[in-house]
Structures are given as structure tokens and as C-alpha cells.
């Protein structure tokens, strides 16, 4: 037991007598029950009152956000769970997602629970509780450590001294704290919400009141349907096309830009600056505008491409090749019988848009290669081909390899190209979830969430999780292989 005269103050100096080794633990235990009490016992009254203020705020938020006072004063006969404060109601909402459906009659309408609101409000409540929990734990640890420090130094830190020490020792955490709180509510919370939706039946006819379904949505990915129309069949086909598109989109742009750069760096080419300017124009124009123009140009009925083919008498050639549809025109993006035509056109358009960037990048790399290497090769009698394969190409690949990998990751989520060019079309009757033949996973997810007739938020969330795991793992692996990550401790 602690002695009553254990603390004796002389100015800012503190003296303990008959001190028990359990005193710091008892200080922490005091703050465990009443925030700041241990600090007050340590003669750090202001700091203790600050912690006590947080506890009062926490309780006040719960009381004043609910209907406790009307219930206690008799103005409310019954306290329903929906009348409780933000924390109790929030946790209940996350656990149950609501239990009451809308009630209709001829003379009144009683709205039921809204699961999405309950889930969002519950997440906000839980995140606020987590913040207060951090303060609570810090309050207990501070009471214990402050007592241990006082016993060791025999001095009490004044409030100003404590704040100065806190600022000096935790400057980086204090500065980043506001941004961290904002990130919790504006970045982390939506991500958590999206993850949790994957474990519900939020979609279809269950838009107002939905339930937890565990891993049922993930199990649907193993359903291939009797005629190949299940979610699993669609998911595999869309995933394969996503990977194929990403590979071809990356390779064609990369090597297309490389070939252009090699040609334009040749001294025999006249007006190289003019050629570079012309080639880079597509990249300089806003891609959204360019994609809409190209999409209209490839319109099967009114597009410029088919019109010119008709005027020039070339449509018959394509008819002989079997590339036209029943209307006698080429359905670049809407011929359901030839989905490969739309896919090939998408890759070619992407190549047209992407090669200027790589051309400019590789031109810069080529011009920065040390000229003495080529001079040494000339002395050794190397041919132009040998200089390209032994000097130019290895250096360019070495310099652009990380960018090539990140470009592949970007193309896996190249939503803008697919959405503005084809809208995911042409349609495919064998696909579930309104997926089209050129839809990649990210554009399919967009369709699932914006279909006003039958939105499937739960399945969109499942696919988002899968994309996150694949892209996140790929990017993390790539990042750990970078020189910047390996030399992080040297900064």
C-alpha cells in the first residue's frame, strides 16, 4: 500500500517516501477508470483535466446524439435502439444492418431501416471510438510512465514543459495527425465500406434493407451456369481479356514508341523535329475528347471510316473477307458475332494513343546515352545493328523496365479507354451482369454499380477486392524491387 505522505513537493521537485513499486501501476489503474485521474495524482492537474475532458466529450456525444434525456424526463415512453446515441446505434447498425422494413397503409407510411446508412453511420461511430480508444490507452500509459519518471528524476513536469517535451519527441506524429484523421474518414472508411459490402446481398431488389451473407458472393464465382451464363464464366472471360488487353496494350505502345524513336533518331530522316511534333499531337490532346471522336469515327452506321470505305469501293473487299455484318457494313464496336474485331480495334486505338508518350520518353533516353560508347564500338568495327542490340536496346530497357511494369498495372485498370471508346460493347448474351465483350474488370464493375434497373453492388465489391489483391500484390512486389525501396534507410 502507498503511504499517505509519499509525495512531498518543494518547488518543482518531488520527493517520495515509503514508495511502493506498484505505485505507477496504481496510477495507470486510476486513469483506467477515470481518465486523467492518475495524472492528477501525479500532481499534473492540467494534463489530467484534459484527459478527463475527452472522457466527458465521449459520453456527451452519446447522450446528446440520442434521445436519452427525453426518455429520462418522461417525454419519451420507450427507448428504442434507434433512439440511442451515435455509438450504440452505430454498433447495432453494423451488426444487424437493420431489421425493420417499410410499412405502407392507406393513411400512413412508416419508413424502415436503411442498411447502407446504418453501415456508414456505424463505421463512422466505430472509427470515432477507435480514435477515443487511442486517447484512452495513451492516457493510461502516460499516467504510469509519468509516475515512473517522477520517481526516477524526483521532478514534476510543468504543463509547458510537458508540452515542449511532447512537441520535441513526437513532432512528426503531431504534424501528420490532422492529415491522418482526414485520411481515416475520407479514404480508409470508404475502402472499409466497399470491403464490407462484398459480404452482403446489397443489390438487385435488396437496395434498402440487406443482410450479411458471409462468403456467398465469392462462392458465386464458382457458378458457371448450365449454358455458360454464370458469374464464374463471365468473371473468367472478362479477367482473361483484361490480362490480354493489358499485355498487348503495354507491348504495342512500348515497342511502337521504341521503333518510332529509333527511326526519328536516324540522321537520314529530314525534319525530325517536325515529325516528332506531329506524332506527339495525339498524346497532347485530352484523351477523353480524342476517344469520343474516334468512337464516332468507327460508328458502324454513321462513322467516317465506313463511309469512306463505301465511297472508295473498298467495303466489298471487307465483305469478301467476311468482316461485315448483316447490314453490309463493318461493326467495329457492335458486331456481337465478331467480338475479336472490337478487341483488335481497341488495342490498335490504344497503340495510336500510347506510342507518342513512349516515343518521347525513349528519344530522351537515347540522346542521353554516352557517345563514347558508340565511338568505342566504331573503333572495334561494330555494325549499326550490333550497336543497337548491344548498346542502345539494353540501356533503354534498363532505364524503362520499371515504367513498363507500372504501365502494365495501369492498363489493367484502363477504364477510360474502354468506357469512352466502346462502352464495353459489343454485348455478349453468355455473360452475366451486363458485361460486354470488350469490358475489362474495372469497366464491368462500373456497369454493375450504375445499372439503374439491377445494380449489383455486392458483386462489384467482390471484383474490387480481387482487383485490389492482384494489383496491390503486383505493385508491392514491383515496389520492393526498386532501388529507391532498397536504399530507403540511406535517405
Amino acid at each position: 500500500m502507498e503511504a499517505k505522505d509519499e509525495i512531498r513537493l518543494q518547488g518543482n521537485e518531488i520527493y517520495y517516501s515509503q514508495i511502493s513499486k506498484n505505485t505507477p501501476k496504481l496510477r495507470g489503474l486510476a486513469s483506467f477508470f477515470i481518465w486523467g485521474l492518475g495524472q492528477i495524482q501525479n500532481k499534473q492537474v492540467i494534463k489530467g483535466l484534459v484527459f478527463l475532458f475527452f472522457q466527458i466529450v465521449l459520453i456527451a456525444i452519446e447522450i446528446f446524439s440520442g434521445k436519452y434525456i427525453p426518455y429520462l424526463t418522461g417525454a419519451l415512453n420507450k427507448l428504442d435502439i434507434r433512439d440511442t446515441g451515435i455509438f450504440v446505434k452505430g454498433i447495432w447498425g453494423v451488426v444487424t444492418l437493420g431489421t425493420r422494413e417499410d410499412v405502407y397503409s392507406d393513411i400512413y407510411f412508416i419508413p424502415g431501416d436503411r442498411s447502407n446508412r446504418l453501415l456508414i453511420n456505424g463505421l463512422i461511430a466505430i472509427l470515432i471510438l477507435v480514435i477515443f480508444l487511442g486517447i484512452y490507452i495513451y492516457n493510461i500509459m502516460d499516467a504510469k510512465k509519468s509516475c515512473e519518471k517522477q520517481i526516477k528524476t524526483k521532478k514534476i513536469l510543468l504543463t509547458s514543459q510537458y508540452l515542449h517535451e511532447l512537441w520535441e519527441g513526437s513532432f512528426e506524429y503531431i504534424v501528420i495527425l490532422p492529415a491522418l484523421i482526414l485520411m481515416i474518414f475520407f479514404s480508409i472508411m470508404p475502402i472499409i465500406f466497399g470491403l464490407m459490402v462484398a459480404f452482403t446481398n446489397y443489390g438487385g431488389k435488396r437496395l434498402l434493407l440487406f443482410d450479411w451473407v458471409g462468403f456467398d458472393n465469392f462462392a458465386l464465382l464458382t457458378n458457371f451456369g448450365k449454358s455458360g451464363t454464370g458469374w464464374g464464366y463471365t468473371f473468367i472471360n472478362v479477367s482473361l481479356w483484361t490480362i490480354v488487353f493489358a499485355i498487348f496494350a503495354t507491348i504495342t505502345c512500348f515497342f511502337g514508341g521504341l521503333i518510332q524513336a529509333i527511326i526519328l533518331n536516324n540522321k537520314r530522316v529530314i525534319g525530325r523535329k517536325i515529325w516528332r511534333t506531329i506524332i506527339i499531337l495525339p498524346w497532347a490532346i485530352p484523351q477523353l475528347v480524342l476517344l469520343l471522336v474516334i468512337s464516332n469515327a468507327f460508328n458502324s452506321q454513321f462513322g467516317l471510316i465506313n463511309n469512306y470505305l463505301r465511297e472508295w469501293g473498298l467495303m466489298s473487299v471487307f465483305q469478301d473477307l467476311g468482316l461485315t455484318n448483316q447490314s453490309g457494313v463493318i461493326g467495329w464496336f457492335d458486331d456481337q458475332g465478331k467480338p475479336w474485331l472490337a478487341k483488335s480495334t481497341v488495342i490498335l486505338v490504344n497503340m495510336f494513343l500510347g506510342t507518342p508518350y513512349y516515343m518521347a520518353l525513349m528519344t530522351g533516353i537515347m540522346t542521353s546515352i554516352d557517345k563514347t560508347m558508340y565511338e568505342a564500338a566504331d573503333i572495334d568495327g561494330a555494325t549499326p545493328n550490333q550497336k543497337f542490340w548491344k548498346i542502345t536496346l539494353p540501356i533503354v530497357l534498363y532505364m524503362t523496365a520499371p515504367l513498363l511494369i507500372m504501365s502494365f498495372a495501369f492498363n489493367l485498370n484502363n477504364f477510360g479507354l474502354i468506357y469512352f471508346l466502346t462502352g464495353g460493347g459489343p454485348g455478349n448474351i453468355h455473360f452475366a451482369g451486363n458485361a460486354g465483350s470488350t469490358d475489362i474488370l474495372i469497366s464491368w464493375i462500373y456497369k454493375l454499380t450504375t445499372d439503374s434497373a439491377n445494380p449489383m453492388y455486392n458483386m462489384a465489391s467482390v471484383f474490387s477486392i480481387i482487383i485490389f489483391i492482384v494489383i496491390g500484390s503486383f505493385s508491392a512486389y514491383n515496389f520492393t524491387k526498386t532501388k529507391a525501396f532498397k536504399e530507403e534507410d540511406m535517405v
Side-chain angles (χ1 to χ4, degrees):
M1 295 290 294
E2 296 175 83
K4 291 183 179 179
D5 59 343
E6 70 170 22
I7 296 178
R8 179 164 53 85
L9 291 173
Q10 287 185 357
N12 290 333
E13 293 190 347
I14 185 170
Y15 295 93
Y16 286 87
S17 60
Q18 302 180 24
I19 186 69
S20 167
K21 64 179 181 180
N22 292 324
T23 298
K25 294 181 181 177
L26 292 174
R27 295 287 189 266
L29 188 62
S31 289
F32 177 84
F33 292 105
I34 301 177
W35 298 20
L37 181 59
Q39 284 81 359
I40 293 175
Q41 290 178 321
N42 288 336
K43 306 303 179 186
Q44 295 176 314
V45 179
I46 296 178
K47 187 166 62 169
L49 291 177
V50 170
F51 283 118
L52 183 60
F53 171 76
F54 280 114
Q55 185 177 22
I56 294 172
V57 168
L58 177 64
I59 297 173
I61 290 175
E62 174 61 24
I63 292 176
F64 290 104
S65 63
K67 297 180 180 179
Y68 294 102
I69 295 178
Y71 175 70
L72 294 175
T73 58
L76 189 66
N77 294 327
K78 181 182 177 182
L79 186 66
D80 187 80
I81 189 67
R82 297 169 184 82
D83 299 325
T84 55
I86 180 176
F87 300 121
V88 175
K89 183 180 176 182
I91 293 173
W92 170 81
V94 170
V95 173
T96 65
L97 294 178
T99 57
R100 188 170 66 193
E101 296 186 349
D102 294 346
V103 178
Y104 297 91
S105 83
D106 296 335
I107 56 176
Y108 63 83
F109 166 69
I110 301 176
D113 296 323
R114 299 291 181 263
S115 298
N116 54 355
R117 294 181 192 172
L118 289 174
L119 186 56
I120 292 174
N121 292 337
L123 286 176
I124 293 174
I126 290 173
L127 290 174
I128 294 176
L129 280 176
V130 168
I131 294 173
F132 274 98
L133 179 64
I135 298 172
Y136 174 61
I137 294 174
Y138 178 75
N139 146 70
I140 297 172
M141 296 176 62
D142 178 77
K144 178 175 177 292
K145 290 185 177 179
S146 294
C147 184
E148 291 173 344
K149 191 172 184 179
Q150 286 178 1
I151 295 173
K152 185 177 180 181
T153 62
K154 296 184 178 180
K155 286 185 178 180
I156 296 177
L157 285 180
L158 299 175
T159 302
S160 59
Q161 293 173 326
Y162 167 74
L163 293 176
H164 177 76
E165 187 176 285
L166 184 66
W167 179 261
E168 292 293 329
S170 307
F171 171 77
E172 58 274 20
Y173 300 108
I174 295 172
V175 170
I176 204 173
L177 188 60
L180 180 62
I181 293 175
L182 290 176
M183 189 176 71
I184 287 174
F185 288 100
F186 292 100
S187 296
I188 296 178
M189 193 195 76
I191 293 174
I192 296 175
F193 177 79
L195 293 176
M196 297 179 82
V197 167
F199 300 93
T200 69
N201 55 1
Y202 187 20
K205 298 180 180 179
R206 308 280 294 183
L207 296 178
L208 300 179
L209 193 62
F210 51 84
D211 301 310
W212 295 110
V213 295
F215 287 90
D216 289 357
N217 295 325
F218 293 88
L220 287 176
L221 299 182
T222 62
N223 176 20
F224 292 87
K226 294 181 180 179
S227 57
T229 57
W231 286 100
Y233 176 80
T234 309
F235 174 71
I236 288 179
N237 278 277
V238 174
S239 299
L240 287 175
W241 162 240
T242 302
I243 295 173
V244 169
F245 166 75
I247 292 173
F248 276 94
T250 304
I251 291 176
T252 53
C253 290
F254 184 84
F255 288 100
L258 177 62
I259 294 171
Q260 286 180 346
I262 293 170
I263 295 173
L264 293 178
N265 275 333
N266 194 310
K267 296 180 180 178
R268 290 181 293 181
V269 175
I270 301 173
R272 287 182 291 176
K273 292 182 179 179
I274 297 175
W275 286 112
R276 287 194 188 104
T277 304
I278 294 173
I279 292 175
I280 209 168
L281 276 178
W283 187 67
I285 298 174
Q287 195 178 58
L288 167 62
V289 177
L290 206 54
L291 285 171
L292 292 177
V293 171
I294 294 174
S295 179
N296 287 325
F298 278 97
N299 185 285
S300 59
Q301 298 298 327
F302 313 106
L304 291 175
I305 306 296
N306 280 351
N307 285 337
Y308 280 122
L309 290 177
R310 286 196 202 96
E311 291 179 7
W312 295 339
L314 297 176
M315 191 61 77
S316 58
V317 178
F318 288 94
Q319 285 178 340
D320 294 339
L321 294 174
L323 295 179
T324 55
N325 56 24
Q326 295 177 347
S327 302
V329 295
I330 303 175
W332 297 101
F333 296 142
D334 56 12
D335 192 341
Q336 295 188 12
K338 302 179 185 64
W340 58 268
L341 179 61
K343 292 178 179 179
S344 304
T345 309
V346 166
I347 291 174
L348 288 175
V349 171
N350 181 74
M351 181 180 177
F352 167 71
L353 297 174
T355 49
Y357 168 73
Y358 282 98
M359 183 274 295
L361 176 70
M362 292 178 184
T363 298
I365 295 174
M366 288 179 181
T367 54
S368 66
I369 296 176
D370 190 354
K371 303 301 180 188
T372 58
M373 300 175 70
Y374 292 105
E375 293 172 0
D378 290 334
I379 294 173
D380 292 337
T383 65
N385 284 338
Q386 288 175 322
K387 286 190 288 186
F388 171 76
W389 291 107
K390 300 295 184 182
I391 299 176
T392 305
L393 187 60
I395 292 177
V396 170
L397 290 177
Y398 175 78
M399 299 289 286
T400 58
L403 188 63
L404 187 66
I405 296 172
M406 294 310 297
S407 177
F408 174 75
F410 169 79
N411 282 318
L412 286 174
N413 277 330
N414 197 344
F415 169 80
L417 179 80
I418 301 298
Y419 180 74
F420 293 112
L421 193 61
T422 69
N428 193 317
I429 60 173
H430 300 294
F431 284 176
N434 199 27
S437 294
T438 60
D439 265 322
I440 57 176
L441 284 172
I442 190 68
S443 62
W444 187 26
I445 289 173
Y446 178 79
K447 282 185 176 178
L448 288 172
T449 56
T450 57
D451 185 352
S452 59
N454 187 31
M456 300 296 293
Y457 300 111
N458 52 343
M459 296 308 298
S461 180
V462 170
F463 299 138
S464 297
I465 291 174
I466 294 173
I467 291 177
F468 172 77
I469 293 173
V470 173
I471 302 293
S473 303
F474 183 79
S475 300
Y477 175 78
N478 176 57
F479 180 68
T480 56
K481 296 299 179 183
T482 61
K483 192 175 181 181
F485 179 82
K486 293 178 179 177
E487 296 179 355
E488 182 183 22
D489 295 335
M490 298 173 65
V491 178

